Amino acid sequence: NELRISPVTNADGDITHYIGNQLDVSSRVERERRTTYQAHHDELTALPNRAHILDHLRLELRRARRNGGSVAVVMLDLDQFKQINDRFGHAAGDRALSWAARRLRSAVRAGDLLGRLGGDEFLLVLAGLPTTSPPGSSEQAPSPDETLWRVQEHLHAALDRPLTLTDVSVRLSASSGAALFPRDADGAAELIAHADAAMYLAKSGG
């Protein structure tokens, strides 16, 4: 609630007293919250949208440059998704995309961010990847490449479930490619392009 105080004056213009009005602004706050949410999230999948995920990636890259850390991205593209749209219709395709988004999000590590770039393409940003063993640790920490491989395996496994569309059970799969800052690229666009190229190489069986 919001309290507004208004002065009351007499005929001479002198303030004689004040009147307080308490306004219920909860509906306005909710509208503003909803508008902010819609500006940063994809309507169909409820994942961060393209603008949000790219802003997040740029932020993590700036942080990594300051701290000397590493950042990775994983691009995912659903395999043969056009066939689902053609066979079952776009409404079923939308349901499949929403299902895939929920499954992929369930496999994302805490602290990483998954977003929808558009169509059937998703982007995962991983920050703070381990590069060396902690001081005093006798165990070798996994390399960034090992971490990326494990993350991609979890993402692919998350989709390995039956999905029912119009009384027909189908299985979705995805191709993925990864890129690591600073090894593969320095900027956000270049990093995504590198991961995109790796993804299409995997899709073509290269």
Side-chain angles (χ1 to χ4, degrees):
N1 292 342
E2 182 179 292
L3 181 63
R4 291 184 179 179
I5 305 296
S6 302
V8 178
T9 59
N10 58 22
D12 297 325
D14 299 323
I15 297 176
T16 59
H17 59 282
Y18 294 86
I19 295 177
N21 294 307
Q22 194 163 14
L23 304 177
D24 184 359
V25 297
S26 57
S27 60
R28 187 188 72 193
V29 171
E30 175 60 23
R31 285 196 304 271
E32 292 173 351
R33 185 200 66 79
R34 185 64 183 170
T35 299
T36 300
Y37 178 87
Q38 291 174 338
H40 294 90
H41 290 80
D42 176 61
E43 183 177 359
L44 177 63
T45 64
L47 292 176
N49 60 18
R50 183 184 187 91
H52 187 176
I53 195 73
L54 292 180
D55 284 345
H56 178 76
L57 174 58
R58 296 185 187 105
L59 174 65
E60 292 297 348
L61 287 174
R62 289 195 297 270
R63 183 174 294 146
R65 292 187 189 101
R66 289 195 306 268
N67 302 333
S70 58
V71 178
V73 296
V74 176
M75 282 277 296
L76 294 106
D77 182 88
L78 299 183
D79 297 328
Q80 300 176 333
F81 182 73
K82 183 177 182 299
Q83 295 182 10
I84 292 179
N85 277 328
D86 292 343
R87 181 180 177 186
F88 302 106
H90 289 284
D94 286 348
R95 290 199 302 274
L97 275 174
S98 297
W99 179 89
R102 290 193 300 271
R103 294 299 307 166
L104 291 172
R105 184 166 48 193
S106 72
V108 171
R109 307 180 314 162
D112 296 338
L113 188 67
L114 175 72
R116 183 188 180 199
L117 287 183
D120 60 342
E121 286 190 336
F122 300 88
L123 182 71
L124 176 63
V125 177
L126 303 92
L129 293 179
T131 54
T132 58
S133 299
S137 172
S138 60
E139 296 183 1
Q140 179 66 37
S143 69
D145 285 320
E146 289 173 327
T147 301
L148 279 173
W149 180 83
R150 292 175 185 176
V151 167
Q152 288 175 269
E153 287 293 298
H154 285 307
L155 292 171
H156 290 293
L159 294 177
D160 190 19
R161 301 286 190 278
L163 166 65
T164 300
L165 293 175
T166 61
D167 299 326
V168 177
S169 181
V170 300
R171 284 184 178 270
L172 297 180
S173 63
S175 298
S176 65
L180 182 68
F181 164 88
R183 183 190 65 194
D184 299 322
D186 183 65
E190 296 82 4
L191 202 63
I192 292 173
H194 195 285
D196 190 57
M199 179 189 71
Y200 276 99
L201 184 64
K203 188 179 285 287
S204 63

